[in-house]
Amino acid sequence: MIVGLAIQINISNVFSGIVINLERPFRIGDWIKIGQFEEGEIMDINWRATRIKNRAQCTISIPNSIASESVILNFYYPDEVYWLWPTVYVHPRHSPVRVKKVLLDALLSADLILKEPAPYVLLTGINEWAASYWVAFAADNYANKFLILEDIWTRVWFHLNRANIAPAVIRQEIHVFKGEK
């Protein structure tokens, strides 16, 4: 019975490996995220497991039975184009038309993002401390996601600063009262 249970897991992994190799939800070289595991680049797919190299250059070995039952995000399929939507917060006193133009200029000045499909900016809300804007853009190299985001944030800061628009920051005031003794 113990041997049967041990073999059951391996048989499950083998059949899941066959399904993964037939369905091809990912290929070697794709950047993916399987379930709750870290995102990474597919290094190997065999009958028992799928191996991913994460951003820390560590290998994650995911049994195929788990991979086949998990949600899989493939950032390279059907092509390598993916979208990022960081949120920029600006003081609500600034005109949304002006802020959107400044943010779009920042996106268009970036070298690491795609110009087609075109980037765009959306005003997503206003509250007592900030107006929030999505800066949406497409890129085609998921391995460089954080370099691309750094470039975008640097350009957003530069363009806002040049337009004399400061990003909004949540401020908290603490009042301390001394009681009489």
Side-chain angles (χ1 to χ4, degrees):
M1 190 164 105
I2 294 171
V3 171
L5 288 174
I7 291 174
Q8 180 183 6
I9 293 170
N10 286 329
I11 290 172
S12 175
N13 284 332
V14 168
F15 281 115
S16 297
I18 291 170
V19 170
I20 286 172
N21 280 293
L22 290 175
E23 262 187 29
R24 312 262 316 148
F26 45 78
R27 303 168 310 266
I28 292 176
D30 285 359
W31 272 82
I32 68 165
K33 179 169 177 26
I34 296 177
Q36 298 301 314
F37 295 95
E38 293 178 53
E39 64 189 19
E41 181 181 8
I42 295 288
M43 303 309 292
D44 182 40
I45 307 165
N46 61 40
W47 298 110
R48 194 190 74 72
T50 299
R51 287 182 188 70
I52 299 173
K53 186 184 288 184
N54 67 9
R55 292 191 185 275
Q57 302 301 304
C58 297
T59 300
I60 302 169
S61 183
I62 303 170
N64 286 331
S65 60
I66 293 174
S68 68
E69 294 177 2
S70 298
V71 172
I72 299 170
L73 292 173
N74 190 332
F75 301 105
Y76 273 30
Y77 183 80
D79 54 39
E80 295 182 16
V81 175
Y82 64 96
W83 283 83
L84 290 170
W85 300 69
T87 302
V88 176
Y89 297 99
V90 174
H91 195 283
R93 75 174 172 265
H94 299 289
S95 160
V97 172
R98 181 169 177 247
V99 172
K100 286 175 68 173
K101 171 145 182 23
V102 169
L103 292 173
L104 187 58
D105 288 346
L107 291 174
L108 293 172
S109 73
D111 296 326
L112 299 176
I113 68 168
L114 299 175
K115 303 307 183 225
E116 281 298 323
Y120 58 94
V121 178
L122 292 173
L123 173 64
T124 59
I126 299 174
N127 61 31
E128 62 278 354
W129 69 274
S132 58
Y133 297 85
W134 275 345
V135 289
F137 56 89
D140 63 356
N141 187 346
Y142 199 78
N144 290 337
K145 172 184 164 185
F146 293 113
L147 292 174
I148 294 166
L149 283 169
E150 178 188 30
D151 182 46
I152 292 299
W153 283 115
T154 301
R155 290 171 187 277
V156 163
W157 180 89
F158 176 77
H159 281 76
L160 288 175
N161 194 39
R162 189 174 67 191
N164 206 23
I165 300 172
V169 184
I170 294 177
R171 299 183 192 271
Q172 294 181 351
E173 291 184 24
I174 300 174
H175 300 276
V176 178
F177 298 98
K178 263 187 159 175
E180 296 205 22
K181 292 185 181 183

